[in-house]
Amino acid sequence: MMQFQSNVEQNAIELLNPITKLLAILILGMATLIFPNAWLGFLIVIGLFIVAGIAGIILPYSKMVFAFGVPISLMLFFIQGLYSPKNKTIIADFGFAQLGKEGLLYAAKVIVTLLVFLSTFYIMNKTTYPGKMVAALTQSGMNPQIGYLILASLNVVPQMRRRMDVIKEAQAARGVETTGSFLIRLKAYLPLMGPVVLSSLTDAQERGMTLETRGFANETANRTSLIPVSVSRADRVIRYLLWSFFVVDLVVSLLIYFS
């Protein structure tokens, strides 16, 4: 947590309110979805590369985009380009199937829409501390118990991973072979599952009992947050620009559809 907070002081994207990032996911994704063609989504994806660079995650972001984009693009271009019922303008005839312009354009639209939703969510996930996200949602009026469920769900995988690493190191210290071929690693990991699952269930039960004894379900209590969340001037400007962009996108899309 301290490491994350030190990065916040140096990173403009991490300084933004989590609600602003959620709004960006919704508006940019919906704007790409309702726009008649793929050009807007393509420009948004390029812009998100710049945002990822500002956030300092350009390399993992690029790997994620290409690892997802290349296979899904090949698959959709093949399926929609050759076999889409929308195909009317034939670009190439391969004998067994015909490559259509309409199918390719539709595939491009689907690809950029998926990339915009996935990219914005990835950037938010990498630049937002889960506790700050839940604190912002709770501050916005969400039930604190629902916020706790969201935070607990986000922490399940990292906690299990850390616990598995500790148990793995303990077994290695006792002479259990944990490296080598696939079968050796499989034999080493199977005994880990029992302690990891049981300890996770025990932690969840203990955490629930602790929250009950501290009056977490008391609706009349004045709640405070350990993590301060505020709406800065940059958040207000970005939210205004996002809503303005969505209105313009909606108007332009309607004009194109009915022209």
Side-chain angles (χ1 to χ4, degrees), residues 45-64:
V45 171
I46 294 177
L48 290 174
F49 272 95
I50 299 175
V51 175
I54 297 173
I57 56 171
I58 185 66
L59 289 180
Y61 172 78
S62 301
K63 291 179 181 178
M64 183 278 301

Side-chain angles (χ1 to χ4, degrees), residues 61-74:
Y61 172 78
S62 301
K63 291 179 181 178
M64 183 278 301
V65 170
F66 288 108
F68 174 82
V70 173
I72 198 70
S73 298
L74 294 176

Side-chain angles (χ1 to χ4, degrees), residues 168 171-172 175-192:
K168 181 181 176 182
Q171 288 188 343
V176 178
E177 191 173 5
T178 58
T179 59
S181 64
F182 174 77
L183 291 177
I184 293 176
R185 284 181 284 136
L186 181 62
K187 291 179 181 179
Y189 273 102
L190 286 177
L192 294 177

Side-chain angles (χ1 to χ4, degrees), residues 30 45 57 60 100 106 120 139 149 157 163 166-167 180 208 220 246:
M30 292 302 299
V45 171
I57 56 171
Y106 177 75
T120 49
Q139 188 178 15
L149 291 177
V157 174
R163 189 171 289 108
V166 171
I167 297 175
T220 61
F246 182 74

